[in-house]
Amino acid sequence: TKEVKSYKQEFLYEVGERNPKLIAGNHNDFAKLLTSKNNRLAWGAMTALDSITAVNPKGVHSLLSQIIKAADSGSVISRDHAVGILTKLAKLKEFASSCLPLLLEQLKKCPNNQFPLYSEMSLPVINETNRKAFVKLFMNRLGGLERKSQKTRVERLLRKIVK
């Protein structure tokens, strides 16, 4: 039944958080769930993919178009985990060139309330090669942030990367 499928899915992504190696080979199965009409299944699949990215980066990388589509049309949880996936992949030399533009695009269009978090998540991938692009993006978005706390977080991040 649908309910049993939902419990299996929830169980699998919970396992993935604890021991991603156990579910790393199931990346294609999780990808199929990204388009589910059941939002819980979709964000559960994205959660599982995020947890296995470090263990199976090549498999998760092969699903990028589906991941981005799900992030753009899904819940905040889906987008959060998509950004997590992009940052993990962008740390790896072989995937940086394909993932950094996608990460920057997510940062450009994400809601203001998510922008400080996503900016902080991207910190580990900022280097001399891409620093200017991130600084420019952070500066452009800074003026549009409504809350002082949001601005403070981004300003603190800018100080770290501009040194």
Side-chain angles (χ1 to χ4, degrees), residues 37-61:
K37 292 191 185 311
N38 180 334
N39 200 28
R40 188 171 184 170
L41 287 177
W43 64 253
M46 192 72 84
T47 302
L49 289 169
D50 189 9
S51 71
I52 66 174
T53 300
V55 178
N56 186 0
K58 188 174 183 178
V60 174
H61 183 266

Side-chain angles (χ1 to χ4, degrees), residues 81-143:
H81 287 289
V83 171
I85 290 167
L86 290 171
T87 56
K88 287 175 184 137
L89 290 174
K91 286 186 222 177
L92 303 173
K93 188 176 181 179
E94 65 187 294
F95 302 124
S97 64
S98 61
C99 293
L100 280 169
L102 296 172
L103 177 59
L104 287 165
E105 186 61 30
Q106 289 298 316
L107 286 166
K108 283 179 189 173
K109 64 185 180 183
C110 70
N112 283 345
N113 64 327
Q114 296 305 114
F115 182 71
L117 172 64
Y118 296 169
S119 298
E120 292 163 350
M121 289 170 69
S122 66
L123 184 61
V125 303
I126 300 173
N127 58 39
E128 290 303 319
T129 307
N130 60 37
R131 183 181 319 277
K132 286 182 183 177
F134 278 96
V135 169
K136 182 180 178 182
L137 173 61
F138 294 163
M139 294 299 290
N140 287 343
R141 291 284 316 257
L142 190 60

Side-chain angles (χ1 to χ4, degrees), residues 112-113 115-117 119-120 138-139 141-161:
N112 283 345
N113 64 327
F115 182 71
L117 172 64
S119 298
E120 292 163 350
F138 294 163
M139 294 299 290
R141 291 284 316 257
L142 190 60
L145 299 176
E146 298 95 16
R147 295 188 180 144
K148 181 165 177 43
S149 61
Q150 294 169 338
K151 290 180 181 185
T152 300
R153 287 172 69 185
V154 175
E155 288 168 347
R156 186 179 316 126
L157 184 61
L158 278 165
R159 285 192 297 276
K160 282 182 182 179
I161 63 175

